[in-house]
Amino acid sequence: MDALRRHTLLIIVLGSLVISLAMGLRHGFGLFLEPMSAELGWGRGVFAFALAIQNLLWGLSQPFAGALADRFGAARVVVVGGALYALGLLFMGLSESALGMTLSAGLLIGLGLSGTTFSVILGAVGRAVPPEKRSLAMGIVSAAGSFGQFAMLPGTLGLMGWLGWSAALLAMGAIAALMLPLGAMLRDRPSAKTSSDISLAAALNEAANHRGFWLLCLGFFVCGFQVVFIGVHLPGYLYDNGIAVTVGSTVLALVGLFNIVGTYTAGWLGGHLSKPRLLTWLYLIRGVVITLFLITPLSPASAYLFGIAMGLLWLSTVPLTNGIVASVFGVQHLSMLGGIVFLFHQLGSFMGVWLGGYLYDLQGDYGTVWNIAILLSVVAAALHWFINERPVNRPAARGVEA
């Protein structure tokens, strides 16, 4: 039992470190929008499109990365993902064309993220932790991603000021390479076969015919749209309104800091209350926070308050959403099914970051996209109200399928 506890703790610690690095580096990308676009003569649409491709490929490759992690364990997937991530940052720092930006920040980093973030890591955690502690453990690991955002955003800004944007990206690539040894030590154990196990094809069919699974996917689309639009375009929005760049980086750091509290609390609450109902209220409150931010006179103080409020709601969806998948379908194919749900998150991310850049270049402001984000909060709240987290009825007579 002691060995099992040590193994579980090791999975949580290593998973937290990997997610902290992956998400911490990623959340600094918005700081590069203005200097790269200005120096290289791009409109913001070029940078936004590359990050939109990143989020899209991250989502499209996530189910496959998750399926590999379910089958062979997370270690190999994290090592390959970490290598792609580091190479993407290296080539992003050397990019001088829109194509180079798309291939580096879009293709390589997008694939790298699929192997180093939530579905793969939380799948390993879900298999290692008892069901009654699963939601809390997922909240702890998700909070680590927020700590990475809080800790690394000021460092990213400091690197940019010290080295310039190009060399700063090269330094970030070296930091990303730390995920390789951490991932190699992440020796999670794929679930042992039991009489209630089902094949990958049967698991996909089961999810495809479950209404709640699709409602969860659509709700996570909204989460992706909101957080990636805000994470990438908020510094530019503040800069356009006369707010210093340092304020934008501080706001994103506050999002990361307070999301540590938000994700941990969401994970804890998910072990005691209905996770779908918690998600309904979370999305409604998000809509209220965004509305108040837009109707309140903009200042550094209002921006900081927005960062704090959004931080409490930022990744709180992750442990609750993955917790519902685990509760309904079990943990055998958790990384893969969680990856499918996350694909919809990334489709939303693609739309949020790309539409933000496209409409900005077209209209000269972000007003329309802010309004869409508010409307989507209401839609997501309604969708989650109709989700039931009761486990699927899976007759034992099915046996173990190949």
Side-chain angles (χ1 to χ4, degrees):
M1 182 61 70
D2 288 340
L4 181 59
R5 286 199 187 98
R6 286 196 297 271
H7 173 74
T8 300
L9 180 61
L10 183 64
I11 293 293
I12 291 174
V13 171
L14 291 173
S16 296
L17 290 172
V18 171
I19 282 189
S20 182
L21 287 170
M23 298 302 293
L25 290 167
R26 173 184 173 270
H27 278 292
F29 289 160
L31 301 177
F32 291 88
L33 186 152
E34 182 60 34
M36 289 187 71
S37 299
E39 183 172 328
L40 297 172
W42 299 336
R44 292 188 185 180
V46 171
F47 189 97
F49 179 75
L51 263 64
I53 292 296
Q54 175 193 113
N55 283 283
L56 182 61
L57 284 178
W58 180 6
L60 289 172
S61 57
Q62 189 71 81
F64 300 99
L68 290 171
D70 287 331
R71 179 73 180 272
F72 301 108
R76 298 176 187 177
V77 177
V78 173
V79 168
V80 173
L84 291 171
Y85 201 143
L87 286 173
L89 285 165
L90 171 65
F91 289 122
M92 183 178 172
L94 301 175
S95 294
E96 294 183 351
S97 68
L99 178 61
M101 181 70 178
T102 300
L103 292 177
S104 58
L107 176 64
L108 289 175
I109 296 179
L111 293 174
L113 282 164
S114 71
T116 56
T117 48
F118 293 113
S119 296
V120 170
I121 301 298
L122 293 184
V125 171
R127 287 186 287 271
V129 176
E132 66 273 11
K133 297 181 179 179
R134 190 176 292 144
S135 182
L136 176 60
M138 288 181 174
I140 292 171
V141 176
S142 299
S146 301
F147 176 78
Q149 179 180 346
F150 167 69
M152 298 183 73
L153 268 171
T156 299
L157 189 63
L159 285 173
M160 291 175 64
W162 177 36
L163 302 172
W165 64 263
S166 180
L169 286 166
L170 302 184
M172 290 166 66
I175 295 171
L178 295 174
M179 288 186 279
L180 276 69
L182 292 171
M185 294 186 286
L186 191 66
R187 299 289 180 179
D188 72 307
R189 301 166 182 167
S191 301
K193 292 285 186 179
T194 70
S195 61
S196 63
D197 281 354
I198 60 174
S199 68
L200 178 61
L204 288 169
N205 184 64
E206 187 177 69
N209 288 284
H210 193 281
R211 185 187 69 165
F213 182 77
W214 293 112
L215 294 177
L216 201 62
C217 288
L218 294 173
F220 223 27
F221 175 96
V222 174
C223 180
F225 185 100
Q226 292 174 332
V227 300
V228 177
F229 164 67
I230 292 171
V232 173
H233 290 286
L234 182 63
Y237 172 77
L238 296 175
Y239 179 81
D240 290 344
N241 286 276
I243 306 294
V245 173
T246 53
V247 173
S249 65
T250 302
V251 171
L252 294 181
L254 286 171
V255 168
L257 176 62
F258 282 87
N259 194 41
I260 297 172
V261 178
T263 48
Y264 176 85
T265 303
W268 181 82
L269 287 173
H272 297 82
L273 302 173
S274 164
K275 289 183 278 291
R277 293 294 187 271
L278 288 171
L279 285 166
T280 289
W281 285 107
L282 190 152
Y283 282 107
L284 282 177
I285 296 170
R286 264 195 198 176
V288 171
V289 168
I290 295 172
T291 301
L292 291 174
F293 175 62
L294 295 177
I295 65 175
T296 301
L298 187 60
S299 67
S302 70
Y304 294 146
L305 289 173
F306 177 70
I308 292 170
M310 283 302 300
L312 294 171
L313 309 167
W314 194 252
L315 295 180
S316 301
T317 58
V318 173
L320 298 174
T321 300
N322 283 273
I324 292 173
V325 175
S327 296
V328 175
F329 301 104
V331 298
Q332 183 191 358
H333 298 290
L334 176 57
S335 293
M336 185 271 296
L337 292 177
I340 294 174
V341 177
F342 191 75
L343 166 60
F344 281 79
H345 184 283
Q346 294 311 103
L347 292 174
S349 299
F350 174 90
M351 289 303 299
V353 68
W354 172 76
L355 200 60
Y358 175 76
L359 290 180
Y360 180 89
D361 286 345
L362 191 66
Q363 301 176 344
D365 61 45
Y366 293 111
T368 300
V369 190
W370 282 119
N371 290 331
I372 293 173
I374 294 169
L375 177 62
L376 287 177
S377 284
V378 179
V379 173
L383 291 173
H384 285 92
W385 188 263
F386 296 101
I387 295 175
N388 191 319
E389 59 181 318
R390 183 176 61 250
V392 293
N393 182 20
R394 189 178 295 158
R398 295 169 88 166
V400 179
E401 301 179 42

